[in-house]
Amino acid sequence: MISILYTALALLLLAITLAARLRVTWWWIRIAEFPRVQLASVALLLLPIGAFADGPWSWVGLGACLLVVAIQLAYVLPWTPLWPVQVKAAEPGNDDRCLTLLIANVLTPNRNARDLITQIHDHRPDIVLTLESDGWWQEQLDDALNQEWPHAVRIPLDNLYGMHLYSRLPLISPRVEWLIQDDIPSILTGVRLRCGDEIRFHALHPRPPAPGESKESLWRDAELMLVGRAIHADPVPTLVAGDLNDVAWSRTTRLFCRVSGMLDPRRGRGMFSTFHARYPLLRWPLDHVFTSEHFTLRELKRLDGFGSDHFPILSTLCFRPVRADEHDTPEAEQAEHRKARKTAREGKVQEQQE
């Protein structure tokens, strides 16, 4: 009986692992891309049982566990210190070419603004980006930040997709965009650094594939592909940040990086998982910052929780275009560019039909 139960559990882990490879957009399939670390951990815990279990089926279970571990590690190892970094480390100095960015999904019903604001004042980032911030959050943030972060874009919404951007640095021609759906905003703005150079900044929070949100991942995927294609078409120094409702190792996020040529500062450094703040065993990296090859990284860290289901994440990036050639910039093949174009088009068409 133990051998049968062991084998059945191992085969279930393998089925979930293989399901994540299916080229479909149904949420209950795409969600299998998220818990890769958890699935690999369970499979590792089962391996000793398989080594000592009796019965003809135990070898099937042992083989399934080994396959699960191998497949999952192949996906997640690049987001560990065992892998080479993708964004090179910044050298000392050049402070006027650096900017610090704090990203925080506040969780709309959460009313513990004080702890987040305390962290903002402690770390004094150049740019603060909040997600899920409604009118109440805007009042708290305005009172605390308006004086030192005078440049702002405010989108208070009650639908979990509000967005606020506060900056010490001047914002150049900021605009709110509704890329796929008319209730999901994004922000596109130029940012003038202290050295006088201007960079481009995208703030995103696409709709997730999840019950009660979207039955498939198409809208999220389409928004990322639209932004990725825009960056590819105009490859100026660019940062992309926000809660992408997607893990760093997913098919969509990796395609976004190849299509756009953007780099992930997490690669080679760690996962810095930001969600879920309340459940340590169920965490993955959902809040991201991506950079073009023009930047190096001085600091990346996850901050303390403040009542939200997300941890804030803090990064300091330095604009160093002279070091761009040091980066191994990802590139998409023509078939992948066609896939990105098709996904973006289908997302827009489906939105019009809804």
Side-chain angles (χ1 to χ4, degrees):
M1 179 63 70
I2 293 177
S3 176
I4 294 175
L5 290 175
Y6 165 77
T7 302
L9 181 55
L11 290 175
L12 175 62
L13 294 176
L14 181 60
I16 297 172
T17 297
L18 296 177
R21 299 175 62 86
L22 297 176
R23 302 288 176 169
V24 296
T25 60
W26 304 326
W27 76 264
W28 53 277
I29 294 292
R30 296 303 299 277
I31 205 72
E33 293 185 296
F34 285 52
R36 293 195 180 278
V37 174
Q38 289 81 1
L39 291 171
S41 299
V42 173
L44 280 171
L45 291 173
L46 287 176
L47 279 176
I49 301 175
F52 296 102
D54 295 325
W57 290 103
S58 61
W59 291 103
V60 175
L62 182 62
C65 285
L66 288 170
L67 190 55
V68 168
V69 171
I71 292 173
Q72 302 296 8
L73 287 182
Y75 278 95
V76 302
L77 273 180
W79 286 270
T80 71
L82 300 176
W83 212 258
V85 299
Q86 190 173 50
V87 178
K88 300 299 182 182
E91 68 273 25
N94 299 301
D95 291 348
D96 63 339
R97 307 185 69 85
C98 300
L99 79 161
T100 299
L101 168 66
L102 188 151
I103 307 165
N105 182 318
V106 301
L107 183 65
T108 301
N110 173 34
R111 292 305 185 233
N112 185 14
R114 182 185 62 183
D115 284 356
L116 175 61
I117 290 168
T118 296
Q119 293 191 74
I120 292 172
H121 284 289
D122 286 346
H123 294 284
R124 304 182 66 80
D126 297 297
I127 296 175
V128 177
L129 173 64
T130 64
L131 297 315
E132 289 200 30
S133 36
D134 59 4
W136 183 91
W137 273 96
Q138 179 172 303
E139 291 178 5
Q140 313 310 306
L141 294 168
D142 279 355
D143 288 345
L145 305 183
N146 272 353
Q147 184 172 352
E148 295 187 53
W149 288 264
H151 311 284
V153 180
R154 301 173 177 86
I155 317 170
L157 296 174
D158 296 323
N159 64 351
L160 305 182
Y161 294 98
M163 183 180 293
H164 288 76
L165 182 68
Y166 296 87
S167 177
R168 297 177 183 274
L169 303 172
L171 302 179
I172 312 302
S173 303
R175 68 175 186 261
V176 177
E177 298 185 323
W178 311 85
L179 295 172
I180 297 294
Q181 298 173 284
D182 59 10
D183 61 342
I184 308 290
S186 65
I187 297 172
L188 173 60
T189 183
V191 180
R192 181 168 292 120
L193 304 178
R194 293 179 182 86
C195 62
D197 290 300
E198 182 181 333
I199 67 168
R200 186 172 294 165
F201 181 81
H202 294 264
L204 305 177
H205 186 201
R207 188 184 298 277
E213 290 286 351
S214 176
K215 63 183 179 182
E216 53 184 312
S217 67
L218 178 61
W219 289 333
R220 179 202 64 191
D221 300 349
E223 183 165 337
L224 292 180
M225 293 307 107
L226 273 176
V227 173
R229 294 186 65 228
I231 294 170
H232 175 77
D234 189 13
V236 299
T238 301
L239 300 178
V240 175
D243 173 5
L244 301 190
N245 280 310
D246 201 14
V247 285
W249 48 75
S250 81
R251 182 167 70 246
T252 298
T253 298
R254 289 183 292 120
L255 179 58
F256 163 78
C257 288
R258 291 194 297 273
V259 168
S260 63
M262 300 292 278
L263 308 172
D264 186 350
R266 280 185 167 105
R267 287 182 68 117
R269 292 186 169 90
M271 297 179 187
F272 301 91
S273 296
T274 55
F275 177 92
H276 195 289
R278 298 171 192 162
Y279 306 119
L281 297 181
L282 290 175
R283 284 184 183 163
W284 34 74
L286 294 191
D287 302 274
H288 303 268
V289 54
F290 296 104
T291 82
S292 60
E293 62 184 2
H294 310 90
F295 295 85
T296 55
L297 181 72
R298 176 167 293 176
E299 181 181 37
L300 178 65
K301 65 180 180 180
R302 190 181 71 187
L303 302 183
D304 296 332
F306 60 98
S308 174
D309 51 356
H310 290 245
F311 292 104
I313 192 163
L314 185 81
S315 58
T316 300
L317 298 146
C318 298
F319 179 56
R320 296 292 286 158
V322 296
R323 296 185 60 189
D325 290 342
E326 298 180 26
H327 293 116
D328 184 12
T329 305
E331 296 182 7
E333 299 177 353
Q334 286 302 314
E336 292 176 318
H337 281 292
R338 289 195 295 271
K339 171 62 176 175
R341 185 166 56 249
K342 178 182 178 183
T343 299
R345 183 173 60 249
E346 289 178 350
K348 282 183 168 289
V349 169
Q350 181 159 325
E351 165 59 14
Q352 292 170 3
Q353 293 175 344
E354 291 292 324

